Amino acid sequence: QVQLVESGGGLVQAGGTLRLSCAASRSIDSIKTMGWYREAPGKQREMVAIITNGGSTNYADSVQGRFTISRDNAKNTVDLQMNSLKPEDTAVYYCHALTWNLNYWGRGTQVTVSS
């Protein structure tokens, strides 16, 4: 089992930057995949970016080239650097971990991008 706590959300103007951080309650060395998802009002939750314990990454087309995911196994954290933010990036962002075929979610952090 693992608890995930997100931080770093907030209000930013279009074109701005934010960095989200996800802190895990235990070592993430053995967690195969960690990532960030988001859920906008009236929309389904969608994958934003994922990273494996081998360092492979995958991004949604809508954020490719603007967002960067990273993980620090020594600190048990997974970060999401978000640049060139757009109003359509407004959503609640959730940290996710997939281990032993079990899904774990954080409570989410709100990101609001004003135009």
Side-chain angles (χ1 to χ4, degrees), residues 3-108:
Q3 282 77 46
L4 305 171
V5 178
E6 303 95 338
S7 62
L11 173 64
V12 65
Q13 288 187 331
T17 65
L18 280 176
R19 187 177 183 90
L20 305 183
S21 186
C22 171
S25 60
R26 66 162 178 83
S27 172
I28 62 173
D29 282 352
S30 61
I31 296 179
K32 180 179 180 180
T33 303
M34 296 195 71
W36 288 92
Y37 288 69
R38 67 187 180 188
E39 188 170 327
K43 295 186 177 181
Q44 288 189 330
R45 191 171 298 188
E46 63 176 359
M47 185 274 289
V48 176
I50 57 174
I51 184 168
T52 69
N53 54 5
S56 297
T57 58
N58 191 29
Y59 296 91
D61 289 344
S62 59
V63 307
Q64 183 76 45
R66 299 188 297 122
F67 292 9
T68 303
I69 190 171
S70 60
R71 67 190 281 170
D72 187 333
N73 287 356
K75 295 181 179 180
N76 301 326
T77 58
V78 176
D79 291 353
L80 184 68
Q81 178 66 41
M82 306 187 294
N83 299 330
S84 302
L85 283 160
K86 304 176 181 180
E88 51 263 44
D89 294 318
T90 295
V92 178
Y93 284 69
Y94 297 90
C95 183
H96 173 260
L98 174 64
T99 182
W100 295 103
N101 290 327
L102 296 175
N103 292 284
Y104 297 94
W105 297 93
R107 292 188 175 183

